[in-house]
């Protein structure tokens, strides 16, 4: 199978996981270790039971990504290299935990502890092991000052490239002033932030869908990006980017075809918005273009290729917004070829590496081979 | 970027408007349609101070447009008489028909006092029929607002009005049950609508009541009118997904649903995503035998209001061509709300050649109980 695109590739959404919470043991503080590890066989899941709707195939992971012994997909570095990094020829990937909903555990202090241990685990076991691996820094946004402290603690590590928000339990989307101390810290350490879709879990105050609780996983997962759209709207309406002009945001795994709809709706409200939110100075779609990037996966599968291109071209400038991602090892992974064949060739360099390079301050060309 | 639709007078004449917003100027003008006991509760004297509870007749959304939600001519309440509607909207745009939607009633099903909410809904339908339809200009048609929080009562309300010659559609707003409209709880409503041969319109914004179990937006509560209003289409997305996926159309093959108030740009994102999810998860919904996109195409129509409006209208045309099909959209104005669209404005933002279908033909096919000669 031809890959179509042969240039430099950065993949901004790859998931890594611990197979057992036992792996976190060396990174847990003494006072929490007993609670997390139980009586020698850990039983806690360490993330909220977000999925009231089981995946009808029994797993949300690709079958071939299970390491030998039916270990957890994403838990084997060797398999990641063999199945993904080497064949794709990917220069850098951004690791994002198993989505990272751990920060939304109902016990906020346990959430902060798991996140802290997970970050240390990720840096030691993954990021420092391979020059291709970069990672998000997980935060538990429900206690903003602890989240800000975590950003300051590890945000300057050279392999940490963003601060990752996967879910909140506070009932207010991410533009709300309660979260601003976290943005202050991320700007201070010079990191962009990322919102990963599908993170609003059942049991918190943030509903997974507007208008009522979905009746199937099919509906739940279709609609999951609604919460992230609200997070984006709220970042704009609260004027977060006016307050923190250096802040940049990556939206992960929402699909991309909703952008003209939401941003033009927000633009049409600009007169109302300036009155009810006087710190907002710029038209929402201008703020979006300057501060926000989107990952491509799952790239919207229009029935005709031209339909998606029409949607993206209608808004204009999306070739400078979209950044390639695969979502390995999850079930709905995109491939380099599947993305290349659905987007115009003239956009490929920007989407496969250029936009990510500018977003993270990474090289725009592959390093020259050593002679 | 292609050429846009024709906006000549001939091209836009005779448009069918699927959604004109109507309400009453003062609660005094409405309360006479309530049964005596409820009239006494809201309009009778209270023990101290205020003469009545009338100012609290209707709940208010916590999200208010800072300069008012209506065009200047309809401020402050949005109320216009049938004569004013005809003179300011129907005549100037040469509409062949305008379907009226009682905008303030949309939130009633989410009001916690369920029998009170039921009576307000019933009175709203009596008020609409008597004030706007009976004996009035035949270009005005109505919507049957239903108390979706009490589905059996809702079905009875549909049957009560089904034979009224000028009631063109059933109207769902918010829901008081915290479940989207594909839930089996609501089956009596869709069965009654199908039996009456009426399409079911769902109007965005009904879930914006404070304390609604249905939530106006995903991910938490909005803080501004801008968020709440720009995201109002999200509950439409949820309801439409639910109705498609939970198999309402598999049971009722002739039923049509019209989604009003979220614009049209969301269609592609939602339908393509439903298809992709269905491919992986079809085991979960064994009753669903067709691709969601096929079900959507056959059964769901989307009203243009409020049509996406970037400065360059050719951009809207390109978006519309990407996300929708020519026979999938029906013109709706939303008049006299602040963001309403005239038929000319909509035609100017449609792809070339779509004007006939979107302004007239699709609505004629949707409102099969309305005489086609009046619509044509």
């Amino acid at each position: 199978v031809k890959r179509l695109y042969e240039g430099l590739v950065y993949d901004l959404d790859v998931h890594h996981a611990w197979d057992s919470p036992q792996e976190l043991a060396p990174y847990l503080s003494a006072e929490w270790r007993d609670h997390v590890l139980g009586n020698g066989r850990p039983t806690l899941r360490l993330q909220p039971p977000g999925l009231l709707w089981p995946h009808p195939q029994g797993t949300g992971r690709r079958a071939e990504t299970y390491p030998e012994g039916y270990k957890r997909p994403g838990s084997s570095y060797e398999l990641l290299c063999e199945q993904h990094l080497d064949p794709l020829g990917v220069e850098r990937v951004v690791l994002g935990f198993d989505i990272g909903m751990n920060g939304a555990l109902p016990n906020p202090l346990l959430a902060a502890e798991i996140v802290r241990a997970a970050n240390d685990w990720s840096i030691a076991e993954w990021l420092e092991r391979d020059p291709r691996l970069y990672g998000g820094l997980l935060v538990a946004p429900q206690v903003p000052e602890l989240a800000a402290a975590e950003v300051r603690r590890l945000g300057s590590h050279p392999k940490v490239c963003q601060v990752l928000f996967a879910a909140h339990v506070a009932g207010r989307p991410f533009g709300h002033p309660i979260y601003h101390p976290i943005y202050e810290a991320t700007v201070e350490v010079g990191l962009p932030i990322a919102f990963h879709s599908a993170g609003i879990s059942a049991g918190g105050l943030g509903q997974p869908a507007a208008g009522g609780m979905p009746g199937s996983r099919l509906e739940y997962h279709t609609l999951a990006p609604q919460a992230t759209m609200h997070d984006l709207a709220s970042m704009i309406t609260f004027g977060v980017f006016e307050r923190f002009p250096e802040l940049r945001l990556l939206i992960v795994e929402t699909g991309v075809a909703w952008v003209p709809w939401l941003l033009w709706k927000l633009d049409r409200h600009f007169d109302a918005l300036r009155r009810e939110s006087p710190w907002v100075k710029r038209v929402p779609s201008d703020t979006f273009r300057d501060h926000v990037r989107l990952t491509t996966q799952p790239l919207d599968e229009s029935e005709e290729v031209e339909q998606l291109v029409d949607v993206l071209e209608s808004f204009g400038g999306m070739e400078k917004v979209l950044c390639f991602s695969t979502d390995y090892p999850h079930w709905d992974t995109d491939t380099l070829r599947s993305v290349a064949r659905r987007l115009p060739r003239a956009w490929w360099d920007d989407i496969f590496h250029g936009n990510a390079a500018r977003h993270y301050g990474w090289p725009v060309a592959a390093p020259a081979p050593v002679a | 970027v292609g050429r846009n639709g024709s906006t000549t007078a001939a091209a836009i004449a005779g448009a069918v408007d699927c959604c004109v917003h109507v309400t009453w100027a003062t609660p005094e003008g409405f309360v006479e349609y309530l049964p005596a006991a409820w009239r006494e509760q809201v309009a009778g004297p209270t023990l101290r101070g205020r003469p009545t509870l009338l100012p609290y007749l209707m709940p208010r959304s916590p999200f208010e447009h800072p300069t008012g939600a209506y065009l200047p001519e309809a401020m402050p309440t949005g109320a216009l008489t049938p004569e004013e509607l005809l003179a300011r909207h129907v005549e100037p745009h040469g509409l062949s028909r305008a379907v009226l939607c009682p905008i303030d009633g949309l939130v009633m099903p989410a009001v916690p006092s369920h029998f009170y909410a039921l009576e307000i809904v019933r009175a709203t339908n009596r008020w609409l029929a008597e004030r706007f339809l009976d004996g009035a200009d035949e270009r005005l048609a109505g919507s049957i607002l239903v108390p979706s929080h009490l589905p059996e009562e809702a079905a009875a309300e549909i049957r009560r009005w089904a034979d009224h010659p000028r009631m063109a559609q059933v109207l769902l707003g918010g829901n008081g049950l915290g479940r989207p409209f594909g839930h089996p709880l609501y089956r009596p409503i869709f069965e009654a609508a199908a039996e009456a041969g009426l399409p079911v319109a769902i109007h965005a914004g009904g879930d914006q009541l404070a304390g609604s179990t249905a939530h106006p937006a995903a991910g938490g509560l909005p803080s501004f009118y801008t968020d709440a209003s720009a995201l109002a289409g999200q509950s439409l997305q949820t309801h439409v997904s639910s109705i498609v996926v939970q198999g309402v159309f598999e049971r009722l093959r002739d039923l049509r649903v019209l989604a009003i108030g979220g614009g049209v740009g969301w269609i592609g994102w939602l339908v393509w995503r439903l298809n992709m999810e269905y491919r992986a998860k079809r085991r979960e919904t064994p009753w669903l035998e067709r691709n969601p996109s096929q079900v959507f195409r056959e059964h769901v129509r989307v009203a243009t209001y409020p049509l996406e409006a970037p400065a360059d209208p050719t951009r809207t045309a390109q978006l519309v061509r990407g996300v929708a099909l020519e026979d999938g959209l029906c013109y709706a104005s939303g008049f006299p709300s602040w963001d309403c669209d005239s038929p000319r404005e909509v035609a100017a933002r449609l792809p070339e050649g779509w004007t006939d279908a979107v302004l007239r033909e699709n609505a004629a096919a949707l409102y099969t109980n309305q005489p086609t000669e009046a619509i044509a």
Side-chain angles (χ1 to χ4, degrees), chain B residues 307-323:
Chain B
L307 188 60
E308 283 73 2
D312 175 0
T314 61
R315 293 193 177 276
T316 305
Q318 190 177 17
L319 175 68
V320 169
R321 200 174 55 219
V323 301

Side-chain angles (χ1 to χ4, degrees), chain A residues 46-220:
Chain A
L46 303 187
Q47 63 177 21
L51 305 179
L52 293 174
W53 306 266
H55 197 296
Q57 306 278 14
T59 172
R61 310 291 177 264
R62 300 182 70 84
E64 75 276 13
T65 65
Y66 279 83
E68 217 173 297
Y70 211 65
K71 290 190 157 141
R72 201 167 165 201
S75 64
S76 161
Y77 166 74
E78 291 74 18
L79 202 57
L80 174 69
C81 292
E82 178 193 322
Q83 291 187 329
H84 191 62
L85 302 182
D86 299 341
L88 192 65
V90 65
E91 192 65 27
R92 295 184 182 191
V93 299
V94 179
L95 298 177
F97 302 89
D98 203 8
I99 303 185
M101 282 163 64
N102 321 71
L105 282 166
N107 175 343
L109 300 177
L110 175 63
E113 169 68 6
I114 297 303
V115 156
R116 197 193 55 71
N119 286 330
D120 285 337
W121 165 86
S122 175
I123 289 172
E125 311 278 340
W126 294 81
L127 306 190
E128 291 179 345
R129 186 170 187 175
D130 187 315
R132 293 170 295 185
L133 302 181
Y134 284 73
L137 189 70
L138 206 50
V139 289
Q142 51 182 317
V143 189
E145 54 269 42
L146 292 181
E150 184 66 2
V151 170
R152 291 193 174 95
R153 185 175 76 90
L154 292 176
S156 303
H157 189 282
K159 300 300 286 297
V160 167
C161 65
Q162 64 191 11
V163 175
L164 175 62
F165 294 67
H168 66 75
V169 293
R172 294 290 178 178
F174 284 134
H176 195 281
I178 54 170
Y179 306 110
H180 291 194
I182 314 176
Y183 305 137
E184 206 177 308
T186 60
V187 167
E188 202 180 294
V189 300
L191 287 180
I193 58 173
F195 296 161
H196 192 295
S197 168
I200 293 297
S201 60
L205 294 174
Q207 296 283 77
M213 199 56 102
S216 62
R217 187 176 173 105
L218 198 170
E219 293 157 73
Y220 155 74

Side-chain angles (χ1 to χ4, degrees), chain B residues 92-152:
Chain B
H93 299 305
L95 301 180
S96 65
R97 193 155 295 238
V99 183
L100 311 180
C101 296
I103 182 94
D104 285 337
L106 294 174
V107 298
M108 282 318 292
V111 166
S113 325
H114 35 264
F115 292 126
Y116 176 74
L118 172 66
E119 293 303 336
I120 296 280
V121 168
R122 285 175 170 164
T124 301
N125 290 328
R126 288 192 286 268
W127 165 83
L128 181 76
E130 193 169 306
R131 295 288 181 91
F132 290 89
L133 306 181
D134 298 340
D137 190 287
E138 65 170 16
R139 287 169 293 185
L140 300 183
S143 307
I144 307 168
L145 184 63
V146 298
S148 59
H149 61 298
L150 295 170
E152 293 294 343

Side-chain angles (χ1 to χ4, degrees), chain B residues 63-82:
Chain B
F63 308 106
E64 296 186 284
H65 193 294
T67 56
Y70 297 99
L71 297 177
E73 66 212 77
M75 287 295 293
T77 62
L80 295 171
T81 64

